[in-house]
Amino acid sequence: MLSRSGFRGFRLYTRSIDDVVPLARELKKSGIEVIAQTESIERVRILDRGLTNIFRLVAVVGIAGGIAALIASLYAAVERKQQELSVMRLIGLSRLNVFLFPICQGITMALMSMIVAMGGYFLLSAVINRVFSSDLEMGERICELPPGYLVIGTATTAVVALLSSSFAAWRTTKIDPAEALRYE
């Protein structure tokens, strides 16, 4: 009376959603009937790729804007402090010391901004993880940034600040010490 029902009710799990579609194809090729939401999964994957590309584009525009703002800010600071820098050159400060002034200023500004950004991230991630804690298993987090990323981000920020401030630093080397006397 009862006939074999095959694999009805059998569930197969994959490591990630990306593994479902290829596995379903392989099982169907082998003659095993599979019920999988492959169309829905493909739509989610396409949406994920699109959102990732949008995020990357926004990040690149934001980084470029930050670099441009840092360059403009440091260059304007050198222009505003031209009299003070020429006085410093007049009293014997070397070109190298004057050159290092905007570089130290730029790196300090960038690292202080990074500290503020990390503080904002840690605060926001704690809020996000608390809000979604009921949907997660014990110890799981939705918003988590590996410590290595923080180190890479800080190092990259310092390098970008160094490169951005070098244009303003180059401008300081063009300041003539005699200009200090002209202002008097």
Side-chain angles (χ1 to χ4, degrees):
M1 293 175 111
L2 295 174
S3 65
R4 183 166 177 199
S5 61
F7 294 105
R8 183 174 298 155
F10 179 75
R11 289 183 180 238
L12 182 64
Y13 295 93
T14 62
R15 267 182 262 137
S16 75
I17 196 169
D18 296 327
D19 298 333
V20 173
V21 175
L23 182 61
R25 264 192 236 119
E26 286 297 318
L27 290 173
K28 284 181 181 177
K29 281 183 187 174
S30 299
I32 301 172
E33 194 58 38
V34 176
I35 299 173
Q37 302 293 326
T38 55
E39 294 84 20
S40 298
I41 291 170
E42 282 300 320
R43 283 195 302 267
V44 168
R45 290 179 66 201
I46 290 168
L47 179 65
D48 180 54
R49 280 194 302 269
L51 290 175
T52 300
N53 289 337
I54 289 171
F55 175 78
R56 286 180 181 154
L57 180 64
V58 168
V60 166
V61 168
I63 290 169
I67 291 170
L70 187 61
I71 290 171
S73 171
L74 292 172
Y75 191 81
V78 167
E79 289 299 319
R80 276 191 316 273
K81 297 173 185 170
Q82 192 165 358
Q83 179 182 359
E84 291 84 0
L85 291 170
S86 62
V87 168
M88 292 165 73
R89 290 275 295 126
L90 187 64
I91 61 173
L93 212 60
S94 70
R95 282 187 194 264
L96 176 63
N97 290 336
V98 175
F99 179 83
L100 292 176
F101 178 72
I103 289 179
C104 291
Q105 186 179 7
I107 290 173
T108 302
M109 284 173 41
L111 292 180
M112 294 303 287
S113 298
M114 189 72 179
I115 289 169
V116 170
M118 280 185 198
Y121 159 75
F122 286 123
L123 180 68
L124 189 60
S125 70
V127 169
I128 289 170
N129 288 328
R130 180 175 282 276
V131 167
F132 292 103
S133 64
S134 62
D135 299 329
L136 302 172
E137 296 293 325
M138 184 65 103
E140 282 186 327
R141 296 183 184 146
I142 283 183
C143 186
E144 183 177 19
L145 195 60
Y149 285 16
L150 296 174
V151 171
I152 290 169
T154 303
T156 303
T157 300
V159 168
V160 165
L162 177 76
L163 295 174
S164 298
S165 61
S166 62
F167 183 66
W170 171 77
R171 174 66 181 100
T172 62
T173 62
K174 301 298 180 195
I175 295 174
D176 186 20
E179 286 183 35
L181 298 174
R182 288 188 204 124
Y183 287 111
E184 298 299 321

